[in-house]
Amino acid sequence: MEGVEMETERPAQHSGDDFCAAVISQFSNRSNEHHTHVCNSIGTMSQELIDRNLPRTAAVYFRVTCSSLDRLSSSTDAAGHLIDAMLTILSLVVDRYPLSALKTQHAYLSELLTRVLRMKSIGVDGLVPAIKCISRLLIVSEKAGWEDVSQLYGFLVGYMTDDRPKVRKQSHLYLREVLQYFQSTPVLAPASETITNVLERFLLIAGGSKENVSEEPKGAQELLYILDALKICLPYMSSKSSTTILNYFKTLLQLRYPMITRRISDGLNALCLHSVGEIPAEVLVDLLCSLATSVSSDESSGDSITFTCRLLDTGMKKVYSLDRQICVVKLPVVFSALQDVLVSEHEEALVAAVATFKSLIDSCIDESLIKQGVDEITVGANSGPRKSGSVIEKVCATVESLLSYHYEAVLDMSFQIVSTMFDKLGKYSSYFLKKTLESLAEMQNSPDGDVTFRKQLHECIGTALGAMGPEDFLSVLPLKLEVEDLTESNHWLFPILKQYTVGADLNFFTTLILPMVGKMKRKSAVLQQEGKTYSARSADGIVYSLWSLLPSFCNYPVDTAESFKGLKIELCTALKEEPDVRGIICSSLQILIQQNKRILEGKENTPNTEIGISEKRAIALYTAEVAGSNLTTLKSSARDLLVVLTGVYSESSKETGGILLSAISELASISDKKVVTLFFKKTMQNLLKLTKEAGIRRNSSKSDSMQIDNSSQEDSLSTARAQLFDLAVSFLPGLNCEEIDVLFVAAENVLKDTDGLIQKKAYRVLSLIFQHSDDYISRNLEKVLSLMIEVLPSCHFSAKRYRLDCLYFLIIHVSKEGSEQRRQEITASFLTEIVLALKEANKKTRNRAYEILVQIGHACGDEEKGGQKEKLAHFFNMVAGGLAGETPHMISAAMTGLARLAYEFSDLVSAAYNVLPSTFLLLQRKNKEIVKANLGLLKVLVAKSQAESLQTHLRSMVEGLLNWQDSTKNHFKAKVKLLLEMLVKKCGLNAVTEVMPEEHMKLLKNIRKLKERKEKKRSAKSVEDKSIISKATTSRSRWNHTKIFSDFGDDEEMNSDDEFEDKNSISTRRTKFSSALQSKATMLRTKRTRKAAKSLQEDSFDQLDDEPLDLLDRQKTRSALRSSQLVNKKPDSDDDEPFLDSEGRIVVQEDGKYKKLDRKKKREMPSDETDELDGRRSEAGSHVSRNTQKRRRTSESGYAYTGKEYSSKKAGGDVMRKDKLEPYAYWPLDHKMVSRRPEHRAAARKGMSSVVQLAKKLQGRSVASALSVNGVLRGKGKKKGNQKKR
């Protein structure tokens, strides 16, 4: 605020040359006459000071300017432009004048400005700086009384209604500044009252000048000027004046003048946002309600409705902060007005109304209001019906009405509002929104074509479930599994219950859901005995669906400590008897344990993800005490569960074993150490027994020369040992140091085992030990390192991934705790193995090698972790040393590693260019493996480099690629062409042309043509297609080994920019995609609105039923609407579109007649044959109904013009018509021509080619007749073909 900034003292002395130069620089526009006068005046003033040998300080300029103005004000014929120039200079020098000095000159300067402003010769260029000077004088008068400032303030208020826009605007701005400074001072009240008096005066002029027509425009216009000033000044006026003005606003709003209404709305918006004083809540809420009731989509513009909706949001929140009770009482009125906005066709207004709905629900509906409504409902249920509902009931009724057919076009927005209300009401939703939930269920049960926003509907129902809880939710919408026909049950609720259940009761699952499981099992058995296999399988599917709800019920349940023991018995029984649900039970146990552990450890529950209000509400109930109590209960049940799980695991398959081990591991982490030790010892004893048995069999097989059928026994023994290794390591979270040592020794003894499966499991055990126990690595680092080097030659290929895991955790540990020299030694000892792993065929092994390489790079280069760029460069050079390898496998692996490092670290791109000469030499080897890796490195460099860096190495890259290309297979020539295309995109066609050898210019010319062709195709695509393609490409991972080093031809057609684009481009494209979808949704909504406006035709209801339609019955009204749409369903276009009969056949219309090809045949048939034919068609209709509907929809969406108006009645061909174009016709195109599937496009081209071939046979005919006989000719051709075959 400028007034506040002036409170600091400014230096008293300034360079006069600087001030003069600053003025001349600011007013340097010589085409402006006022600027010229200002420059001349300041120049003359400065020269005069030089001549008189006076200091050119701000104080001197101030006195000289005031003296000049004093002299000009005393003159009767003073030139106006001189006064304007002097006032401009005065406004500039005042900013540099010390505040203390300005206070001493206050009286003199006030009197001087008063005399100057009364002069008639002053112009606009002088009034604007004079107003600024007035505001400065008013601001510096700290302790002055109203009498001292009233005269200057009167001038400022007087210019508030000036006819000159520039003067008026400046007065409004400086008036606001003065009022801001007047806060908490005695002069605020009289200053505000002055503005109020001006408003009253012009209200009287505007209202009392009806008899005198000449005064009406003047008074009305000045009233608008005052309202413009109040838009920015009203928040800073005194409370008394604000109340008076708001009362006048109420009167003005009754006029319903849009210009006045908009200004009042702006003033109220500023008042609600920036008010510093008290506001009368009663008057403000009355104004808001008046504005709300005036909102009409027919009379108001889209901008006006939008602004009013946003004002209601801001205003009602302000009223709520001032007086909650007044705000709550008026909420139904505001919600009703917002409800009316939702039927408007203005998209921006719809969005604003929805945002206001949601904001007011969150801000103005509180716990006390909800409980008050619950109490009234409870009392009313006991005492009888009530006369009127509570406020919250009225609001909920308004929200419920948003689901009626009136709002069918904006159901997606209605679902958002309903979801917000469910979230706000929470567990009390069953009191107020029970009918709303039933309405949502009715929509779900309606046909697919009647609910456009099916996904949003499910989300809304899911929000209701999360708010109410499954018990109250299922009491309103039961599953209905007791029905005879299971297709009539509410089985569609299962996915919603599974996704949105949170904070439920485990006791509810035990007492209600599990009995349903038993009933459905018995029903399935009965159906199976009756031979109803399909129905029995449906019942089995419902059993599985009921069990699949268990993980959701274990998502932050509220009664774990009280109810889990009862559930444990059922879980143990199901684990033993029902293999299909073991995975569900294990997942549920993991969820329970992990959530409570996170709460107890104080960790974030769901990192990097957004959670809903229901989940936040459930998490809020989980304190450290609750989590501790839950874990105590789970710990007491862990032994029984471990007994069952370990017993089941020995009988499980490979597919189900993993989830069982995960559950065992979680239970071991919370179980008593003695219990875990007991299970671990038993497992190790069994493992030792099987290991000895395997050794005996191996020795006997070596000595026995006759080996018959021993392989199957050895495989089963190996599988059992592997299972025991997995089971033993699953107890790792609950083991102590001695037991971990035992497990390590057991794994160490089989690292050289010839059985690949056993070796793989041993490495997995070591990797998990290293991952979970840094302490073990610290105690046994040297032993572990020597072991890793010792067993390397005997490592089986299937165990390499887990061996790399071991190396990964070892290197990470050394990076955290070891010295730099030690880290380099360990890295160097394993670097060759890691680099060679980059060429592994197994994808998981290869990805782990990439992760280790990148992790080492971060440890070397991250300055936050003690790294340096020099260390990163040194590591890069160590990897590059592999280029000197003897085998092509080693060279290509090193090149792959360099490409990965250059892709991850931008600082290494310049270092990678130093390797280019070596890579071009390696290209001469003509080894496929080396060439493929080399081209991948070049591809990364081109994609990650800036255009400036590529320009430096462009000539060497192009020449190296093209010289090598001449003697290489065509496959790699295509890859080189792709690289050249990337270079053209990065550096431009001209830059590549300059370095391209002459003999290869044809290749560049071909690239240019392909690029132009792609640009044409891209420009022809619609916005939606571009966005969808963009979204598909951006969903790929950042590093894609297959795309970069692929030896197939798929990536030749790949857009390189898509593969290597950065996050900014991804977010940009996603934004475009979302905006395109929003625009598309807007168009669809507009179309639906127009169609809805044409619905409910009275004449169509007469055909539906003899009884009158009850418009209050939502279900009957919706079904009537569907029927009316079916009765009156017509294509949107004219009669030129094809007509379809009931069986989906096209009926060609010519000269107003419909011709069916089989009508004549049918007429000639006997009656019994006709009936038989109709019967067959009716029977076949059920099988082809879907195809018929699809064909009908496709034909309605297309467009065909048969050219019938050009057909001649007397001749066979087309004729010219007066005032019309030459004869033409449209052939309806097949949508398969733009299909992605090649077979679809081929079929479409075949159909079009038959049209072209048929043209010669139809020469001389009209287009309309040609279209009509097309089918006949094809039919004849088929007949002839059949005759020949016979």
Side-chain angles (χ1 to χ4, degrees):
M1 193 171 64
E2 296 180 29
V4 176
E5 293 173 358
M6 290 185 62
E7 293 181 1
T8 59
E9 287 288 336
R10 300 187 182 92
Q13 301 295 328
H14 289 274
S15 173
D17 292 336
D18 291 344
F19 176 70
C20 181
V23 173
I24 294 174
S25 175
Q26 183 177 350
F27 296 88
S28 59
N29 187 3
R30 294 295 178 181
S31 60
N32 190 314
E33 187 177 354
H34 176 63
H35 286 201
T36 303
H37 294 317
V38 171
C39 292
N40 293 338
S41 299
I42 192 66
T44 303
M45 196 180 299
S46 179
Q47 186 62 41
E48 187 176 354
L49 293 176
I50 293 174
D51 294 343
R52 295 187 179 184
N53 199 18
L54 295 174
R56 289 169 293 168
T57 61
V60 175
Y61 275 109
F62 177 79
R63 287 195 294 269
V64 173
T65 305
C66 290
S67 177
S68 301
L69 281 173
D70 193 2
R71 186 170 56 254
L72 290 173
S73 62
S74 302
S75 177
T76 57
D77 56 349
H81 64 271
L82 290 178
I83 299 176
D84 295 346
M86 287 300 168
L87 286 172
T88 302
I89 296 173
L90 179 63
S91 67
L92 296 173
V93 78
V94 161
D95 291 337
R96 298 183 176 224
Y97 200 58
L99 283 177
S100 57
L102 190 61
K103 291 177 182 179
T104 59
Q105 301 290 335
H106 182 273
Y108 165 72
L109 193 55
S110 300
E111 190 272 335
L112 176 62
L113 286 175
T114 302
R115 284 191 284 113
V116 172
L117 291 175
R118 288 174 179 172
M119 299 177 65
K120 297 182 179 180
S121 57
I122 187 173
V124 175
D125 294 326
L127 284 175
V128 172
I131 292 173
K132 178 183 177 182
C133 294
I134 291 174
S135 68
R136 292 295 179 266
L137 288 176
L138 291 172
I139 288 173
V140 299
S141 57
E142 290 181 351
K143 299 181 180 180
W146 175 244
E147 296 79 9
D148 300 328
V149 299
S150 60
Q151 191 173 16
L152 285 178
Y153 186 79
F155 278 108
L156 190 59
V157 173
Y159 291 120
M160 189 170 58
T161 56
D162 196 274
D163 293 335
R164 292 161 290 191
K166 195 173 182 180
V167 176
R168 185 173 65 252
K169 183 178 180 180
Q170 289 297 317
S171 69
H172 294 173
L173 294 175
Y174 286 116
L175 184 61
R176 179 186 63 181
E177 186 177 346
V178 170
L179 289 173
Q180 286 176 330
Y181 184 79
F182 281 173
Q183 297 299 316
S184 303
T185 61
V187 297
L188 177 62
S192 303
E193 188 176 354
T194 302
I195 301 175
T196 307
N197 294 334
V198 174
L199 175 63
E200 292 174 348
R201 180 161 58 89
F202 282 104
L203 279 174
L204 292 174
I205 295 175
S209 61
K210 295 182 179 180
E211 298 178 358
N212 191 347
V213 181
S214 61
E215 293 183 3
E216 184 177 356
K218 180 179 179 181
Q221 188 63 48
E222 291 178 346
L223 180 61
L224 294 178
Y225 293 156
I226 298 173
L227 293 177
D228 287 333
L230 290 175
K231 287 194 301 185
I232 59 176
C233 297
L234 185 59
Y236 309 103
M237 297 175 65
S238 64
S239 300
K240 180 180 178 181
S241 298
S242 299
T243 305
T244 304
I245 291 175
L246 290 179
N247 288 321
Y248 285 127
F249 280 179
K250 291 173 61 177
T251 306
L252 290 172
L253 280 178
Q254 297 175 2
L255 300 176
R256 302 296 184 189
Y257 287 159
M259 298 177 67
I260 294 178
T261 303
R262 183 55 189 267
R263 284 168 170 81
I264 293 176
S265 301
D266 291 338
L268 292 176
N269 187 53
L271 182 66
C272 296
L273 290 175
H274 308 293
S275 176
V276 294
E278 295 182 1
I279 306 175
E282 301 87 349
V283 182
L284 180 58
V285 77
D286 289 342
L287 282 169
L288 293 173
C289 292
S290 178
L291 285 171
T293 54
S294 66
V295 174
S296 174
S297 58
D298 297 330
E299 299 177 1
S300 304
S301 64
D303 292 340
S304 176
I305 299 174
T306 303
F307 186 83
T308 303
C309 291
R310 292 170 180 167
L311 174 60
L312 291 175
D313 182 16
T314 307
M316 293 303 291
K317 288 180 182 178
K318 186 68 175 180
V319 174
Y320 183 84
S321 64
L322 296 172
D323 192 327
R324 172 194 169 276
Q325 187 59 33
I326 293 177
C327 174
V328 165
V329 172
K330 295 296 183 180
L331 275 180
V333 179
V334 177
F335 274 51
S336 178
L338 294 172
Q339 178 186 14
D340 296 335
V341 176
L342 289 180
V343 297
S344 69
E345 296 185 0
H346 305 290
E347 185 69 20
E348 190 176 358
L350 293 176
V351 175
V354 172
T356 303
F357 254 122
K358 296 162 69 175
S359 178
L360 293 181
I361 289 173
D362 289 332
S363 304
C364 301
I365 297 179
D366 50 20
E367 191 76 16
S368 60
L369 180 62
I370 297 173
K371 289 183 177 180
Q372 180 183 354
V374 172
D375 294 339
E376 292 187 15
I377 292 175
T378 306
V379 173
N382 299 328
S383 60
R386 294 172 293 156
K387 294 182 179 180
S388 62
S390 61
V391 173
I392 188 64
E393 288 180 271
K394 295 178 181 177
V395 170
C396 291
T398 302
V399 172
E400 181 185 351
S401 65
L402 298 178
L403 300 178
S404 63
Y405 64 87
H406 295 289
Y407 307 96
E408 186 176 2
V410 291
L411 272 180
D412 56 335
M413 295 184 172
S414 299
F415 291 148
Q416 295 181 35
I417 300 169
V418 173
S419 299
T420 306
M421 181 60 76
F422 271 115
D423 279 330
K424 189 65 181 180
L425 295 176
K427 61 182 179 181
Y428 301 110
S429 300
S430 57
Y431 289 93
F432 306 105
L433 297 177
K434 182 178 179 180
K435 293 184 179 179
T436 304
L437 185 56
E438 293 174 351
S439 300
L440 294 172
E442 290 178 10
M443 291 185 180
Q444 168 62 30
N445 294 325
S446 61
D448 291 338
D450 296 334
V451 181
T452 310
F453 305 101
R454 183 75 64 177
K455 180 182 178 182
Q456 290 85 344
L457 172 61
H458 289 176
E459 291 175 353
C460 186
I461 297 176
T463 305
L465 168 63
M468 301 172 65
E471 186 172 0
D472 292 337
F473 180 84
L474 291 177
S475 65
V476 179
L477 294 181
L479 292 171
K480 296 182 180 179
L481 299 181
E482 66 278 0
V483 296
E484 188 68 25
D485 186 2
L486 291 177
T487 57
E488 298 177 0
S489 64
N490 289 332
H491 57 274
W492 56 270
L493 286 173
F494 283 118
I496 297 175
L497 287 167
K498 185 177 179 180
Q499 182 177 357
Y500 293 97
T501 299
V502 61
D505 293 334
L506 291 178
N507 183 55
F508 178 75
F509 185 86
T510 306
T511 57
L512 184 69
I513 303 298
L514 289 181
M516 290 183 186
V517 172
K519 291 180 181 178
M520 294 310 299
K521 284 182 181 179
R522 291 190 291 272
K523 187 171 186 177
S524 174
V526 172
L527 291 172
Q528 193 71 36
Q529 291 176 358
E530 295 176 355
K532 300 178 180 180
T533 307
Y534 179 78
S535 299
R537 289 180 179 177
S538 299
D540 292 337
I542 291 178
V543 170
Y544 185 83
S545 298
L546 289 169
W547 270 112
S548 65
L549 300 180
L550 179 59
S552 300
F553 276 84
C554 292
N555 188 16
Y556 296 105
V558 296
D559 60 341
T560 304
E562 296 82 10
S563 305
F564 182 76
K565 289 185 178 180
L567 179 62
K568 179 197 68 174
I569 301 173
E570 300 291 341
L571 296 183
C572 292
T573 304
L575 284 171
K576 295 176 183 177
E577 301 176 356
E578 301 182 42
D580 293 339
V581 300
R582 288 172 182 171
I584 296 174
I585 296 174
C586 291
S587 299
S588 305
L589 293 174
Q590 290 184 70
I591 293 171
L592 270 178
I593 297 171
Q594 290 172 0
Q595 288 179 349
N596 285 281
K597 284 169 62 177
R598 282 200 300 264
I599 295 294
L600 199 61
E601 295 169 1
K603 295 181 180 179
E604 187 178 358
N605 291 283
T606 51
N608 301 325
T609 56
E610 294 184 2
I611 60 176
I613 296 177
S614 300
E615 190 167 358
K616 290 180 181 178
R617 191 183 293 120
I619 294 174
L621 300 175
Y622 264 61
T623 60
E625 293 77 13
V626 172
S629 176
N630 293 342
L631 287 176
T632 302
T633 303
L634 293 171
K635 182 178 180 179
S636 64
S637 305
R639 180 186 178 91
D640 297 337
L641 290 170
L642 284 173
V643 170
V644 177
L645 289 172
T646 52
V648 168
Y649 175 72
S650 60
E651 305 171 359
S652 65
S653 62
K654 182 180 179 181
E655 291 75 15
T656 60
I659 188 65
L660 291 172
L661 291 174
S662 299
I664 293 172
S665 180
E666 292 294 340
L667 287 170
S669 66
I670 64 170
S671 298
D672 186 67
K673 296 295 183 182
K674 294 180 180 180
V675 174
V676 179
T677 301
L678 180 64
F679 282 99
F680 177 73
K681 287 182 178 180
K682 183 179 179 181
T683 304
M684 295 305 294
Q685 289 172 0
N686 294 333
L687 178 61
L688 179 61
K689 180 180 177 181
L690 291 179
T691 303
K692 289 181 179 180
E693 184 180 350
I696 294 172
R697 287 190 179 183
R698 188 179 298 109
N699 295 331
S700 63
S701 63
K702 290 181 180 179
S703 60
D704 189 3
S705 58
M706 302 294 292
Q707 300 180 20
I708 303 174
D709 294 336
N710 286 334
S711 60
S712 60
Q713 296 179 3
E714 292 180 359
D715 290 343
S716 61
L717 187 61
S718 176
T719 303
R721 291 174 63 195
Q723 281 186 335
L724 288 176
F725 266 116
D726 288 335
L727 181 59
V729 80
S730 66
F731 296 114
L732 182 62
L735 300 180
N736 54 34
C737 297
E738 292 78 9
E739 292 162 349
I740 293 177
D741 290 337
V742 173
L743 184 60
F744 180 84
V745 172
E748 180 185 6
N749 293 332
V750 295
L751 286 177
K752 295 183 180 180
D753 199 302
T754 56
D755 191 340
L757 178 61
I758 300 301
Q759 194 179 123
K760 176 181 177 181
K761 295 301 179 181
Y763 273 111
R764 179 176 180 271
V765 169
L766 292 184
S767 66
L768 290 175
I769 291 176
F770 295 161
Q771 180 181 2
H772 291 92
S773 180
D774 277 346
D775 180 63
Y776 184 86
I777 301 177
S778 302
R779 291 186 288 107
N780 303 278
L781 181 59
E782 297 298 332
K783 177 183 176 181
V784 170
L785 292 175
S786 60
L787 177 64
M788 289 292 104
I789 297 174
E790 179 185 350
V791 299
L792 174 60
S794 59
C795 180
H796 195 269
F797 69 90
S798 62
K800 281 189 176 181
R801 176 164 69 93
Y802 291 111
R803 175 178 170 83
L804 287 175
D805 282 337
C806 297
L807 299 181
Y808 176 79
F809 294 118
L810 285 174
I811 293 174
I812 293 301
H813 175 79
V814 174
S815 301
K816 292 178 181 177
E817 302 180 3
S819 62
E820 178 62 25
Q821 182 179 0
R822 185 63 171 158
R823 184 186 61 79
Q824 290 186 3
E825 292 175 358
I826 295 176
T827 302
S829 60
F830 297 114
L831 183 60
T832 303
E833 180 182 357
I834 295 171
V835 171
L836 286 174
L838 299 175
K839 298 292 293 181
E840 285 291 332
N842 185 277
K843 182 178 179 181
K844 294 181 179 179
T845 305
R846 192 170 62 241
N847 289 341
R848 174 54 73 185
Y850 280 129
E851 291 176 10
I852 296 175
L853 202 66
V854 171
Q855 186 64 36
I856 297 173
H858 281 294
C860 294
D862 288 353
E863 297 180 357
E864 298 178 356
K865 300 178 181 179
Q868 297 176 359
K869 293 183 179 180
E870 293 78 9
K871 296 179 182 178
L872 180 61
H874 178 69
F875 175 65
F876 183 82
N877 292 332
M878 291 174 63
V879 178
L883 296 177
E886 297 180 357
T887 62
H889 190 73
M890 181 62 200
I891 296 172
S892 61
M895 208 164 290
T896 303
L898 294 177
R900 183 66 183 95
L901 290 174
Y903 184 87
E904 183 72 20
F905 304 98
S906 301
D907 296 335
L908 294 178
V909 174
S910 59
Y913 278 112
N914 299 329
V915 190
L916 278 181
S918 301
T919 59
F920 291 136
L921 287 176
L922 291 172
L923 282 175
Q924 306 300 327
R925 289 197 178 190
K926 304 177 184 178
N927 181 277
K928 181 179 179 181
E929 195 173 8
I930 295 177
V931 168
K932 185 171 63 172
N934 215 329
L935 293 178
L937 174 61
L938 292 175
K939 196 174 183 181
V940 171
L941 289 179
V942 173
K944 299 295 290 185
S945 301
Q946 300 294 331
E948 295 78 10
S949 302
L950 281 176
Q951 293 284 357
T952 308
H953 304 277
L954 187 59
R955 182 176 296 277
S956 61
M957 292 180 69
V958 173
E959 291 178 354
L961 286 172
L962 295 177
N963 291 336
W964 161 79
Q965 183 195 12
D966 294 335
S967 57
T968 314
K969 296 179 181 179
N970 291 331
H971 175 79
F972 288 116
K973 285 187 177 181
K975 289 182 174 292
V976 172
K977 182 179 178 182
L978 175 63
L979 279 171
L980 291 176
E981 290 177 356
M982 295 174 64
L983 288 172
V984 168
K985 290 181 180 180
K986 282 275 187 177
C987 304
L989 185 62
N990 295 333
V992 179
T993 305
E994 293 178 359
V995 299
M996 178 72 74
E998 187 65 30
E999 60 271 18
H1000 296 287
M1001 291 303 294
K1002 290 184 178 180
L1003 176 61
L1004 192 61
K1005 184 178 180 181
N1006 179 258
I1007 292 174
R1008 179 180 58 81
K1009 289 183 178 180
L1010 290 176
K1011 181 181 178 182
E1012 293 176 353
R1013 193 176 303 164
K1014 288 181 181 179
E1015 289 177 354
K1016 289 180 180 179
K1017 290 181 179 180
R1018 192 179 295 113
S1019 61
K1021 287 182 180 179
S1022 62
V1023 178
E1024 291 83 359
D1025 293 340
K1026 288 183 182 178
S1027 302
I1028 292 171
I1029 292 172
S1030 173
K1031 185 178 181 182
T1033 55
T1034 56
S1035 62
R1036 299 171 182 160
S1037 60
R1038 291 190 62 196
W1039 171 259
N1040 195 322
H1041 173 92
T1042 305
K1043 288 294 182 182
I1044 297 175
F1045 300 105
S1046 174
D1047 55 352
F1048 301 100
D1050 297 339
D1051 58 337
E1052 275 74 37
E1053 299 178 359
M1054 181 189 64
N1055 188 353
S1056 60
D1057 294 339
D1058 294 339
E1059 184 67 30
F1060 301 103
E1061 61 191 352
D1062 56 7
K1063 295 180 180 179
N1064 294 331
S1065 62
I1066 291 176
S1067 61
T1068 304
R1069 292 187 177 191
R1070 285 179 179 172
T1071 304
K1072 292 180 180 178
F1073 175 73
S1074 60
S1075 62
L1077 288 183
Q1078 286 181 356
S1079 62
K1080 186 176 181 180
T1082 302
M1083 293 191 301
L1084 290 175
R1085 188 178 294 115
T1086 305
K1087 290 180 180 178
R1088 287 195 300 271
T1089 305
R1090 288 198 296 265
K1091 290 182 179 180
K1094 299 177 182 179
S1095 303
L1096 283 177
Q1097 299 176 2
E1098 298 176 0
D1099 54 351
S1100 62
F1101 288 130
D1102 297 336
Q1103 304 172 8
L1104 298 175
D1105 200 347
D1106 295 335
E1107 298 181 1
L1109 178 65
D1110 184 7
L1111 294 176
L1112 297 179
D1113 191 331
R1114 182 182 295 107
Q1115 187 173 4
K1116 290 184 178 180
T1117 307
R1118 190 174 286 121
S1119 62
L1121 283 173
R1122 291 198 298 268
S1123 302
S1124 65
Q1125 291 172 0
L1126 292 175
V1127 172
N1128 300 324
K1129 190 172 183 180
K1130 295 181 180 179
D1132 293 337
S1133 57
D1134 297 332
D1135 294 335
D1136 295 332
E1137 291 196 3
F1139 179 80
L1140 297 173
D1141 65 359
S1142 59
E1143 296 177 346
R1145 295 176 299 188
I1146 297 179
V1147 179
V1148 180
Q1149 178 185 4
E1150 184 176 8
D1151 297 336
K1153 298 179 180 179
Y1154 297 111
K1155 296 183 179 180
K1156 293 186 180 179
L1157 300 180
D1158 61 344
R1159 183 178 297 172
K1160 184 177 180 181
K1161 295 181 181 179
K1162 185 175 180 180
R1163 192 182 299 117
E1164 295 173 356
M1165 287 182 181
S1167 60
D1168 56 346
E1169 294 181 9
T1170 305
D1171 297 337
E1172 183 181 356
L1173 178 62
D1174 292 339
R1176 288 199 303 268
R1177 286 177 176 171
S1178 62
E1179 292 175 0
S1182 60
H1183 299 287
V1184 299
S1185 59
R1186 288 189 178 180
N1187 296 332
T1188 303
Q1189 292 176 1
K1190 184 175 181 180
R1191 288 197 300 268
R1192 185 177 293 113
R1193 288 198 298 268
T1194 305
S1195 63
E1196 288 175 357
S1197 62
Y1199 183 79
Y1201 180 74
T1202 58
K1204 63 181 182 180
E1205 58 185 356
Y1206 297 106
S1207 58
S1208 176
K1209 297 181 181 179
K1210 299 180 180 180
D1214 293 331
V1215 295
M1216 293 287 293
R1217 298 295 184 187
K1218 186 177 181 181
D1219 298 329
K1220 288 187 176 293
L1221 300 173
E1222 294 182 2
Y1224 68 97
Y1226 293 138
W1227 184 270
L1229 298 178
D1230 193 350
H1231 65 88
K1232 294 180 181 178
M1233 297 187 72
V1234 293
S1235 176
R1236 294 184 178 180
R1237 297 187 178 180
E1239 60 269 23
H1240 288 180
R1241 294 196 299 269
R1245 286 195 296 269
K1246 183 178 180 182
M1248 185 56 69
S1249 63
S1250 64
V1251 175
V1252 177
Q1253 295 173 2
L1254 195 63
K1256 295 182 180 180
K1257 298 180 182 179
L1258 301 177
Q1259 189 172 5
R1261 294 178 177 269
S1262 67
V1263 175
S1265 61
L1267 290 176
S1268 64
V1269 301
N1270 190 2
V1272 178
L1273 291 175
R1274 291 183 181 178
K1276 290 181 180 179
K1278 288 182 180 179
K1279 276 188 176 182
K1280 291 179 181 179
N1282 294 334
Q1283 290 174 1
K1284 288 180 181 180
K1285 288 180 181 180
R1286 291 178 183 176

